Amino acid sequence: MSSVRAHDAVRELLGLLATGASGEQLAQVAVAARAAGLAADELLAVDQAAEYALQVRQTLVAHRRREVELTALFDTASDLARLRDTDAVLRSIVRRTRTLLRVNVSYLTLNDEQSGRTYMRVTDGSASALFQQVTLGMGEGLGGLVAQTARPYATRDYFADPRFRHTTPIDSSVHDEGITAILGVPLAVGGKVIGVLFAADRSARDFSPDEVALASSLADHAAIAIDNARLLDETHLALDELNTANSTISAHNEAMRRAEDAHDKLTDLILRGGDLPDIAAAVAEVLHGDIAVFDATGVELAHVGDTPTTVADAAVTAARASGRAVSTEDGWVCAVQAGQELLGSLLLTGRPALADADRRLFERAGVVTALLLMLRRSVAQAEDEVRGELLTDLLTAPDRNPAALVARAHRLGVDLADAYAVLVVTADQVSRRRLLSAANRFAVLIGVHADQVVLLARTDDPSALAARVAESLTSAMASPVTVGASGPACGVEGLVAAHTEATRCVRSLLALGRTGEGATMRDLGFVGVLLGDADLEGYVHNTIGPVLEYDDRRGTELLRTIEAYFTAGANLTRAKENLHVHVNTVVQRLERIGSLLGADWQAPERALEIQLALRLFRLTSRGEPS
């Protein structure tokens, strides 16, 4: 009977273990066995069985706890594998720390190396706003000790523990939260502590090695989450930079393609004989704006668009100095230059903003325009040489082969059968090449002959054209330019004769001291016919010099009297009316003139010489006869 009752006790213990009974229930089986009066040996067996049952129960409890911990770690690892929100993962880790370690509060802090501070990142179970917002200096509090040593630390009573540095902000926040026991484990990435995971209780307690190991495992997961987030952010940043670089490269390639297309188009235009309007139209199409082309003096050469255009000298100067297109109130200005020589400028309107690629394209258009202007200049110089050679042959040897001269002129677009005025241009202080270039716009045919610029021009009024050319060139050259004209004349012989007359006219103008003027022989009257290379000043002095000197010395009007006398046809009455004096005064003055010039001054031959001298004096002195 006793043996059966011992076996019943063992079976009961096994049944209780199977149902997960508590340790108290297991111990109660041994107490019941003693009460039943079992023999000593059987009671010993029951006590041993109860002890084994308690050990088995403790093992099962530990295994179940470990299973829960492992499940939590696996769940955390799963969260990391599905990492989308770092804060959500960290909150989950802190919450599991609080649950698994059965503490009142859990929290996680991170270090900020730039500011040298540690700040609270996540809390769970905290009720104090002061605690949730506390920031720590590096090395302060329990967390500072963990960060410095990279080892876990636990304290049973925070305020009584002297192992770490207490500070007022930390102690105040811990006191406000009511925390007593704290466990801190490091969050380390590659041997570097980046933060601390804490488990804290509001009552004193010790943390077992298993709890420290569990907290350390959760901290490792938190460190992995933070490092993964950092790597993910770096990856995103790298991808963004890669996308930006790719966009930049694509934009650059597109800009290069556009620039190459534009350059090819502009170059093709030049090779096909395109002129400035064609270049301007092509640039306007590429840049989607209005384009104007100006020469070095600001004169418009071509224009595409409806916007009225003028270019500011200051803008051209700035563009020329920088070598880049510059922005102005009107648009964008690019200097067109070859080396240091300014050839002109481009003005782009309708584009307030200009991207770098379009700006470089605009500047490239300036280079192409410079190439075209240089090409035009070379062609013009070549044509000028050909035209100059034709003009030289025409004036030097007109009888050698007139038909060949006519044919050569025809190839240059000049019909020698048409009527042309011949102008001879001369200036002492100006190079013939510069004078030739400036006078070219007035000419149908131009060249240098006998050290003078000669040009053929279409006009019905050579006198007016000569005056206009002299005025224009004098202003442009900043030096007197004298122009003699003749014609209109046609045919080889007629043009040669007109050139001879224009040359005599220039010589006469220079002889009369009328440098910087333009005229024809008709403008000079009979004096022009008589003039050549004579000493006019000496002739005037020898003929009427005594009268001029007398007037200068005495302040008289003998010269005016003699002019009025000859103008009146030697009639004293008309002469005194012209002079508004009494006839006796005229007689007295004539007697004085006779005493100065000689008694034969009124003889026909002397009278002619005196009248010619009077005319020359008035012409050379720019005076008008009375």
Side-chain angles (χ1 to χ4, degrees):
M1 178 66 182
S2 298
S3 176
V4 172
R5 292 180 61 184
H7 290 158
D8 291 340
V10 172
R11 283 197 298 270
E12 185 179 358
L13 287 172
L14 293 175
L16 289 173
L17 284 175
T19 59
S22 66
E24 184 179 351
Q25 291 175 314
L26 293 175
Q28 188 63 37
V29 173
V31 173
R34 285 190 182 89
L38 292 178
D41 56 341
E42 290 186 350
L43 184 60
L44 178 60
V46 171
D47 287 339
Q48 290 179 343
E51 183 179 353
Y52 290 150
L54 287 173
Q55 292 177 356
V56 170
R57 181 186 179 282
Q58 290 177 352
T59 301
L60 291 175
V61 169
H63 286 172
R64 281 196 295 268
R65 185 175 68 249
R66 187 59 180 166
E67 181 181 357
V68 171
E69 293 174 354
L70 290 175
T71 300
L73 292 176
F74 287 143
D75 291 342
T76 303
S78 179
D79 290 342
L80 290 177
R82 299 192 305 271
L83 178 62
R84 293 294 182 271
D85 184 350
T86 304
D87 286 341
V89 174
L90 294 179
R91 284 194 297 269
S92 175
I93 291 173
V94 171
R95 188 179 307 112
R96 286 169 181 154
T97 301
R98 180 187 174 203
T99 302
L100 295 175
L101 271 66
R102 298 178 298 281
V103 293
N104 299 123
V105 181
S106 59
Y107 52 98
L108 185 146
T109 61
L110 291 179
N111 299 334
D112 185 352
E113 293 184 353
Q114 292 184 350
S115 64
R117 307 289 292 174
T118 298
Y119 63 94
M120 193 75 72
R121 177 68 181 269
V122 182
T123 64
D124 189 74
S126 172
S128 168
L130 178 63
F131 182 79
Q132 295 169 13
Q133 298 173 4
V134 68
T135 59
L136 324 175
M138 290 290 190
E140 296 177 353
L142 177 64
L145 182 62
V146 174
Q148 286 178 339
T149 61
R151 295 169 55 191
Y153 274 90
T155 177
R156 178 181 179 81
D157 187 346
Y158 173 81
F159 292 101
D161 196 332
R163 292 178 298 168
F164 45 83
R165 183 155 57 97
H166 290 265
T167 64
T168 300
I170 301 176
D171 288 357
S172 298
S173 63
V174 172
H175 182 271
D176 193 59
E177 187 64 56
I179 294 174
T180 300
I182 304 176
L183 166 65
V185 293
L187 277 69
V189 175
K192 178 181 179 182
V193 177
I194 62 172
V196 178
L197 175 64
F198 294 91
D201 237 332
R202 293 190 173 94
S203 59
R205 63 167 284 185
D206 293 319
F207 292 93
S208 67
D210 289 342
E211 290 174 324
V212 174
L214 175 60
S216 298
S217 297
L218 290 171
D220 290 341
H221 283 81
I224 293 173
I226 294 171
D227 192 46
N228 285 347
R230 178 185 62 80
L231 294 175
L232 189 60
D233 289 341
E234 292 178 353
T235 301
H236 287 161
L237 180 60
L239 287 175
D240 291 341
E241 293 177 348
L242 184 60
N243 290 333
T244 301
N246 186 56
S247 299
T248 302
I249 293 173
S250 297
H252 179 71
N253 289 338
E254 176 62 18
M256 290 291 292
R257 186 192 63 77
R258 288 183 61 225
E260 290 176 359
D261 291 344
H263 183 77
D264 292 343
K265 186 174 183 179
L266 295 175
T267 305
D268 184 60
L269 280 175
I270 294 178
L271 294 177
R272 289 190 290 105
D275 209 343
L276 289 175
D278 302 316
I279 298 295
V283 176
E285 179 182 356
V286 172
L287 294 179
H288 307 292
D290 296 345
I291 288 288
V293 184
F294 301 89
D295 66 9
T297 63
V299 176
E300 184 179 296
L301 303 177
H303 182 200
V304 175
D306 301 327
T307 306
T309 55
T310 56
V311 65
D313 293 339
V316 176
T317 301
R320 184 181 183 187
S322 65
R324 300 293 309 277
V326 298
S327 177
T328 68
E329 293 181 356
D330 299 326
W332 290 83
V333 175
C334 177
V336 177
Q337 53 188 5
Q340 297 301 316
E341 180 184 2
L342 180 66
L343 302 178
S345 59
L346 295 180
L347 174 62
L348 171 64
T349 55
R351 289 291 303 273
L354 203 61
D356 287 342
D358 286 345
R359 185 178 180 183
R360 289 192 295 270
L361 199 154
F362 182 45
E363 292 165 351
R364 180 171 292 190
V367 175
V368 175
T369 304
L371 177 62
L372 178 58
L373 292 177
M374 291 295 293
L375 182 61
R376 289 180 59 182
R377 175 191 289 182
S378 298
V379 172
Q381 289 177 348
E383 290 184 351
D384 288 344
E385 291 180 1
V386 173
R387 292 172 181 271
E389 292 174 358
L390 171 62
L391 192 60
T392 299
D393 291 344
L394 174 65
L395 301 178
T396 304
D399 299 330
R400 182 178 301 168
N401 192 344
L405 292 175
V406 171
R408 287 169 60 189
H410 183 72
R411 286 195 295 271
L412 296 175
V414 179
D415 187 354
L416 296 182
D418 292 343
Y420 301 101
V422 180
L423 279 67
V424 176
V425 183
T426 187
D428 290 338
Q429 305 300 323
V430 182
S431 70
R432 294 300 175 261
R433 175 58 62 183
R434 186 180 174 205
L435 199 59
L436 185 75
S437 177
N440 187 58
R441 60 193 180 95
F442 297 101
V444 173
L445 191 65
I446 190 170
V448 177
H449 178 69
D451 200 35
Q452 293 174 324
V453 174
V454 181
L455 59 97
L456 306 186
R458 288 191 175 90
T459 181
D460 294 331
D461 190 351
S463 176
L465 178 61
R468 187 168 77 252
V469 171
E471 180 182 4
S472 175
L473 296 183
T474 295
S475 175
M477 301 294 106
S479 181
V481 178
T482 307
V483 180
S486 179
C490 58
V492 175
E493 294 182 359
L495 293 174
V496 172
H499 170 258
T500 301
E501 182 176 320
T503 302
R504 288 181 55 231
C505 182
V506 166
R507 190 164 57 244
S508 299
L509 287 171
L510 296 175
L512 292 170
R514 294 171 62 175
T515 305
E517 296 185 22
T520 62
M521 291 298 291
R522 183 176 299 177
D523 298 325
L524 300 180
F526 78 94
V527 176
V529 178
L530 298 177
L531 292 178
D533 298 321
D535 181 6
L536 300 183
E537 186 177 354
Y539 178 79
V540 171
H541 179 75
N542 293 333
T543 305
I544 59 173
V547 175
L548 297 174
E549 293 172 359
Y550 190 87
D551 279 348
D552 289 340
R553 188 170 63 253
R554 302 291 182 89
T556 57
E557 294 186 338
L558 298 183
L559 184 67
R560 184 165 175 260
T561 300
I562 195 171
E563 285 182 317
Y565 180 71
F566 282 128
T567 301
N571 185 297
L572 291 176
T573 301
R574 291 204 301 271
K576 65 100 175 174
E577 291 175 353
N578 292 336
L579 294 170
H580 305 290
V581 297
H582 195 273
V583 67
N584 291 335
T585 302
V586 177
V587 172
Q588 292 173 2
R589 291 179 179 179
L590 293 178
E591 290 176 354
R592 174 60 62 188
I593 291 170
S595 65
L596 294 172
L597 300 182
D600 63 343
W601 71 276
Q602 296 190 56
E605 185 176 349
R606 285 294 309 281
L608 178 59
E609 292 180 355
I610 292 172
Q611 291 182 61
L612 179 58
L614 290 172
R615 181 62 174 165
L616 289 173
F617 175 75
R618 290 303 181 189
L619 287 172
T620 56
S621 62
R622 305 288 162 73
E624 292 294 335
S626 304

